[in-house]
Amino acid sequence: DALIRQEAVTRGATVITKPIDATSPLLLVEVGFPQTPFDFVIFNFPHTGVSQLPHAVSSSIASNQTLLKDFFANLSRLPSLVGPHTRVHVTIKSAVYPYSMWDITTQAAA
């Protein structure tokens, strides 16, 4: 892990090593990210933490759809950080219920 960070620093890359609120574009600006677009934005296994037990699964699906929709919407509001060549990668279990119900393509297009 330390070697990866060192290589990223050497190449001038920005590496986030602590949790951030992915739905808050102001936080990204406030923590002092460079004003040049990222090459990649990677969001691995997003989840709101709402219970996925049978009695709460619909609330979980709705909250995670909102999380993804807000994430993509906020990226589009940050042209200084997300440029025309920035690649956005979101990792989810799209073939497994209830994750398959998050409909990530629709959330990204909203």
Side-chain angles (χ1 to χ4, degrees):
D1 197 30
L3 291 176
I4 292 170
R5 287 191 202 135
Q6 177 60 44
E7 180 182 342
V9 169
T10 302
R11 290 181 292 130
T14 301
V15 178
I16 302 169
T17 59
K18 61 183 178 181
I20 61 168
D21 180 353
T23 65
S24 174
L26 294 177
L27 179 62
L28 291 172
V29 174
E30 288 171 7
V31 296
F33 283 104
Q35 294 301 304
T36 57
F38 289 118
D39 294 326
F40 295 91
V41 175
I42 301 170
F43 195 7
N44 287 321
F45 302 104
H47 197 284
T48 60
V50 173
S51 174
Q52 296 184 129
L53 294 176
H55 69 280
V57 74
S58 62
S59 295
S60 176
I61 291 167
S63 70
N64 284 292
Q65 286 175 331
T66 300
L67 169 68
L68 290 169
K69 183 176 66 174
D70 291 351
F71 169 72
F72 289 117
N74 285 323
L75 287 179
S76 69
R77 294 184 192 118
L78 294 169
S80 64
L81 298 179
V82 181
H85 301 290
T86 302
R87 293 180 60 174
V88 178
H89 295 261
V90 179
T91 306
I92 64 170
K93 298 177 183 180
S94 61
V96 178
Y97 183 83
Y99 309 103
S100 59
M101 301 303 293
W102 293 7
D103 196 10
I104 190 169
T105 304
T106 300
Q107 308 320 316

